[in-house]
Amino acid sequence: MEEQEVVVIASSSSIEAGIGCWDLHSGAEHLRYRSCASPSHGLVSVAGRFLASSQLRDSSSSSSAGSLLFWSWNKPQVEVKSFPAEAINPLVSNSDGTYIVGGGVSGDIYLWEVATGRLLKKWHGHYRAVTCLVFSTDQSLLISGAEDGSVRVWSLLMIFDEERQQRSGHLYEYSFSEHALPVTDIVTGYGGSNAIILSASEDRTCKVWSLARGTLLKNVVFPSAIDAVALDPGEHVFYAGGRDGKIYIAELNSLGKSDNNYGLHTIGTSSDQSKGICSLAFAPDGVQLVAGSEDGLVRIWDTKTHNIIRVLKHAKGPVNNILVIQQPPALYPRTLTNNQGLMTRKQVSLPPPLEKFTSIDENADLSIYITPQPDYHRPCDAIYTTVDSMNKQINELQQHGSSEMEMERSKGDNKRSIQMLHQWKKMYENLHQFCVGELLNGEGDNLTL
Amino acid sequence: MLGMYALTEESDSCRSRARGLTTMAAFDYAQNLYDVVLKPRLLRSLINEHIPEEKQQLGNSLALAHVVYAIRTHELLSERVVQSGDNKKLIEKWKSAVDLWFDRVLMLVSSNMPDKCWAGICLLGVTCEGCSSERFLASYSVWFQKLLSHLQAPAGSNFVKRACCFSISDLLTRLSGFPNMKRDGSSHAAKLLQPVLKLIQEDNSDAEGAVALLCTILTLFPLSIQKNYDSAEAAIVTKLMSGKCHTNMVKKLALCLSLLPKSRGDADSWSLMIQKVLIAINVLLNDSFQGLEEETKTMRALVPPGKDPPTPLGGLPIFDISNKSTKLGRVSMASISSLMLCCSTMLTTSYPAQAKVPAQLLLMLVERVLMVDGSLTQTLYPTITAMQQEHVCLELPVQHSYSLDILCSIVKEAHSQLLPHAALIIRIVREYLRKCELPELRVKLYGLVKLMLLSMGVGLSLYLAEDVVNNTSIDLDSVGDLGGKPRSDSESTQKKRKHEMAFMSLESQAQTNYLPKNPIPIAVKIAALEALETLLTVGGASGSDSWRSSVDSLIITVATYACKGGWTKPTNNDFNHSQNSSSSWADFQLASLRALLASLLSPGRIRPPYLAHGLELYRKGMQETGTKLAEFCAHALMALEVALQKEPESPESEDDDLYDKWVKDNDGNQPSVVEQENNETAPQLAEKPVSIAVSSGAEVIPKNKGKEPMTEIQSVKEVSKQSEIQSQTVNFHVSDNMVTSDPVTKGKTPVSGSVGGMEFKFDLGDKDDDSMDEIPDIVDVEPDSDEE
């Protein structure tokens, strides 16, 4: 299998550090994107096309509203700045990169269309600031957590269907309020309608919810507030990063085999200088766990051996966002062949800034954009047609019974005509003979007369 | 002996010498059929045998097909030889053979006899495909000129011109394979446009070849058409509107029209084109739907007030909305359908720039067409004659079908961008599910539902499940077919399965107008099964309480019924396949078994109740080796094996429901064993601290709204005191204390009551297994009862 290039992207709440970007395997640092002070869960790679991040409120500036920044992969400077109506904490985009959803400090949730920057929907999601947002694996549900401890599941179809909303009375599909303190992180598992939701909170618990039934499945208590969770791809265990600097392993399916030692284990009982774990993310291989910590370091763990593989130095401030994604092509135009390089350069242009207020009215034309497919010509695409058409024609010739029939009929006609002709000829001859005979007889008669 | 040997050898050599120099090659054997030496020889003998010389007549045309087959199979024109000293002679030989081939073919092309000319043109097309690059590049422009002259000949026969179109198309295709020949190709292609457009417009010629050639030009050398954009549009649209094309031709023309904007390649051209098409359709609909629909707002949306309408499609005056005086002549309904096909083709044809799809307008059109069912509007006086109504009704199914196609393409292309429009689409689909009666359209509609479920996921299944279930049950459970009677299902799910399958409640039946006539075609049943399968796959677990058990039983009933009479061999007579083309009983069996697998695998609240019976069906089916069905059965058994090894999941949720019941019935004070026994579902949990959660939860935590689940405590440090655990469980939301417990003791932490609970739950589990064993019996009985 071809090894995919994977990059680790980290941002912190301190503006000097910017956004760091490393190769997961080599640890080599790529570009560092400047001037980013992100809140927790405020950094997102929009379908691998560009980076977006919400910004912590700048206390020095007069405006209370925060901002949203876009970076394209190949430039360190901020390229697009948006100023939403209020400061946005968590930011998330769907896997296609068509929408960006942000959670405001007031508890409102905003949904923008990336292509146009339009604010398509805004709704009151929580009583206090939204802290995290995730999409379900099939992208049809949005799950949000807030400072008031509630976790809510939204059906995006419902959000857009006003008729249905009025009938149902509330917008959300489920609202879980079992967390006593602010929710700090949410992840979802695989499995479509039967997936689980895992939420972490400052109340020292992680809770597992059933998406299918909308109920709490499991409650796990930890010795410390948990700021980050990551779900093992096999969904046997999950990893919880505590404020005490430890990464706890907890079993998800402890039902059958409660006698093994999972649940007691921690990895990352890392040395004393390590401060709280702020963010966790799994590498695509499902083995390497990337942890961002309060001390500004990014540690990569091997979950099989429980060893640290690599430490990346990011900043002084806490690393509160970690993304592990496939290396976007635009990050390295020079490694590509000429042809592809041209293509990516074309695509680099970023979408317009996100709108502050919704401008959608009844007449707004909500178009769909079909993204162009590169007109890449494959040799097997060449379709030759002559042979088919020739065979068709030959078939027609062969099967054309009618022509044969026609010939037979003509032959018959011909024969009949010839016969007729003969008859006429004969008759004519007879007549002729008769006439001649008559005439001769007449003459003879006359002569005799 | 020796002498004899020498003698024979001598005589051999004598003989070969005697055969003489005339047939030198007679014993010059090739190694095998792959030997290159063979190729020039084969080519030469094929030419000599089958390709006539100037004075000869063209032989049987079948021989021509044989020649072409041989040339393509053995690559006789490729001249692909490893360059080396040894095979110089071979190269020479092959070259001269191919030279001969070219001479003969070109001679045929220039022949005066139409049949020889036709043969030459076809062979030239084959040559374009198969000859070596050097040869092609050296002589393609000569060939092109020859072919072009035939195309332009005013008095040429039709079949020669058609063959010419295909050969030129192949020439261009080959040419487009050379990246540095783009400009040459474009300039050549540009020369073709006038004659091709003329051929398309001419009434008597059959334009098949010309349209195909235009497609090729538009695909490969779109830039060549820039200057003739408008005339090309006009030619295509006029042909479409003529109403004289058969379906295949309409499809080709639609493709041409959707490829046309490519020649400009910018986003605006595409949008303009689809806008023009939409206007054209709606103008025609305004006329033909008069008296059959309420007034629509579509036109205003198409051309917003204050904006100039675009030039009419194809420049045809009937589409000019600014010119109010133009009276529509009688336009055939078929041409509306053709234009609708253009819409869906445009959506699915790739475009080099980002295409902006006016989704709202398209959806308005779809809604407009689908909602017309031929009934008159509620006015005092009918505004149309019965004949007009007849006329519209005749073509309506086609238009509905194309509307569904447009919907399908939108769903396919839009992906997540569909969200703002999803509500409207769902409304349209639900409405149409109620109305649609024609089998062919229902099949398409189920296909659309399937597509939507897959693309929009769980969110949609929550929405659409009820409608899908209601409709599929009607289609699958038609009276007379399965012998069941529709009957209220309410709480009778525990009764005989036979009644269960007809689970449609009377109310919901009153809701739906859809009452099909029996018998329902097998194709509809298959489509319905596929829709159900997808529903179970996507949303089998979510919010499925209301329908899951009835769907499961419906599917097992249908599968049992389908497989009752043994396995049907797929019919081998493809020859008279045209009439009952698509679906056979074997397909129905396969579809039912597929749905059954989804029903068994889709995570539900309870152990799949028909597992044993399902396994039996798959085991039997697997023995039918050589059929698709057997393949699938093997796959199903493998998938189920995995499912069998795993303990059924989400038993906890059972407890939630149990708990809900307790709270309702007992105020949460005493867990009632009786309650649990009534619940036939079998929790399989090893540990059940339910009772604790119940009693303590209800008392201590005021916030708890009856949703308190089992609480599991996991800890990190050493156990301090077991006795603390309970209180900490209760107070976990305060959680200042570190809660600690050892996993080994964890199972014991709940007080003894729960151990009791554990026991009786295992009992239940056994019972469930018992009931599992009984199931096949019940089901086996059923077919018999059907026969009565």
Side-chain angles (χ1 to χ4, degrees), chain B residues 486-534:
Chain B
R487 157 139 13 158
S488 158
D489 111 287
S490 53
E491 67 279 313
S492 68
T493 35
Q494 307 307 320
K495 292 185 190 168
K496 271 204 150 185
R497 211 162 296 108
K498 183 178 170 186
H499 299 304
E500 258 181 54
M501 56 170 236
F503 86 105
M504 275 287 300
S505 67
L506 290 173
E507 301 93 79
S508 55
Q509 217 167 33
Q511 229 174 50
T512 48
N513 303 339
Y514 174 60
L515 278 173
K517 294 151 200 75
N518 284 318
I520 294 170
I522 209 80
V524 175
K525 286 178 184 284
I526 292 173
L529 279 169
E530 283 174 354
L532 270 186
E533 183 194 348
T534 316

Side-chain angles (χ1 to χ4, degrees), chain B residues 174-185:
Chain B
R174 182 77 194 264
L175 193 60
S176 72
F178 300 97
N180 50 351
M181 300 303 285
K182 284 273 180 233
R183 187 171 296 169
D184 268 37

Side-chain angles (χ1 to χ4, degrees), chain A residues 98 138 213 219 221 368 385-386, chain B residues 170 357 416 458 545 712 714:
Chain A
T98 32
D138 68 358
R213 323 224 63 83
N219 182 39
V221 184
I368 288 170
T385 50
T386 304
Chain B
D170 281 5
V357 182
S416 55
V458 193
D545 303 3
E712 190 179 330
Q714 294 213 349

Side-chain angles (χ1 to χ4, degrees), chain A residues 370, chain B residues 270 343-349 357 362 406 409-410 413:
Chain A
I370 301 180
Chain B
W270 195 91
C343 277
S344 62
T345 315
M346 278 190 81
L347 288 174
T348 44
T349 311
V357 182
L362 282 167
I406 294 179
S409 342
I410 293 178
E413 296 303 320

Side-chain angles (χ1 to χ4, degrees), chain B residues 390-655:
Chain B
E390 228 171 73
H391 189 63
V392 171
C393 286
L394 191 65
E395 187 70 12
L396 258 184
V398 183
Q399 290 175 0
H400 281 193
S401 169
Y402 284 150
S403 298
L404 291 176
D405 281 344
I406 294 179
L407 264 185
C408 279
S409 342
I410 293 178
V411 173
K412 259 187 233 165
E413 296 303 320
H415 302 291
S416 55
Q417 298 176 69
L418 207 58
L419 217 43
H421 310 283
L424 177 57
I425 296 184
I426 292 169
R427 215 171 56 231
I428 295 173
V429 167
R430 291 173 68 156
E431 183 73 9
Y432 196 60
L433 263 173
R434 292 206 290 112
K435 282 184 163 182
C436 168
E437 285 187 19
L438 296 176
E440 186 198 337
L441 293 174
R442 254 186 119 66
V443 169
K444 211 165 222 178
L445 186 58
Y446 278 129
L448 173 66
V449 167
K450 195 174 141 182
L451 191 68
M452 284 168 69
L453 280 169
L454 286 171
S455 122
M456 294 189 240
V458 193
L460 182 73
S461 78
L462 292 173
Y463 254 64
L464 215 54
E466 201 185 319
D467 299 85
V468 174
V469 171
N470 285 346
N471 278 282
T472 49
S473 345
I474 296 176
D475 277 330
L476 289 171
D477 181 29
S478 59
V479 189
D481 260 12
L482 299 187
K485 273 187 196 165
R487 157 139 13 158
S488 158
D489 111 287
S490 53
E491 67 279 313
S492 68
T493 35
Q494 307 307 320
K495 292 185 190 168
K496 271 204 150 185
R497 211 162 296 108
K498 183 178 170 186
H499 299 304
E500 258 181 54
M501 56 170 236
F503 86 105
M504 275 287 300
S505 67
L506 290 173
E507 301 93 79
S508 55
Q509 217 167 33
Q511 229 174 50
T512 48
N513 303 339
Y514 174 60
L515 278 173
K517 294 151 200 75
N518 284 318
I520 294 170
I522 209 80
V524 175
K525 286 178 184 284
I526 292 173
L529 279 169
E530 283 174 354
L532 270 186
E533 183 194 348
T534 316
L535 177 66
L536 285 167
T537 311
V538 173
S542 253
S544 58
D545 303 3
S546 56
W547 51 266
R548 184 63 196 272
S549 64
S550 39
V551 164
D552 283 343
S553 87
L554 173 71
I555 288 178
I556 189 77
T557 313
V558 171
T560 313
Y561 167 70
C563 303
K564 188 169 63 177
W567 311 103
T568 43
K569 292 259 188 275
T571 43
N572 279 328
N573 47 349
D574 289 335
F575 310 112
N576 41 18
H577 215 54
S578 51
Q579 281 170 356
N580 51 352
S581 57
S582 49
S583 31
S584 65
W585 193 258
D587 294 328
F588 178 50
Q589 289 180 332
L590 185 59
S592 72
L593 289 180
R594 290 181 65 103
L596 180 61
L597 183 64
S599 141
L600 295 178
L601 285 180
S602 174
R605 329 182 45 186
I606 50 171
R607 222 180 131 86
Y610 311 107
L611 185 59
H613 188 61
L615 283 173
E616 197 188 318
L617 283 177
Y618 290 128
R619 263 185 228 118
K620 274 194 211 153
M622 205 174 91
Q623 288 159 5
E624 289 301 299
T625 23
T627 61
K628 253 194 186 154
L629 190 124
E631 256 170 59
F632 177 75
C633 286
H635 165 77
L637 283 173
M638 184 183 72
L640 286 170
E641 200 178 321
V642 176
L644 284 173
Q645 281 166 3
K646 229 163 69 176
E647 284 289 276
E649 291 212 357
S650 68
E652 295 98 324
S653 47
E654 234 77 68
D655 297 325

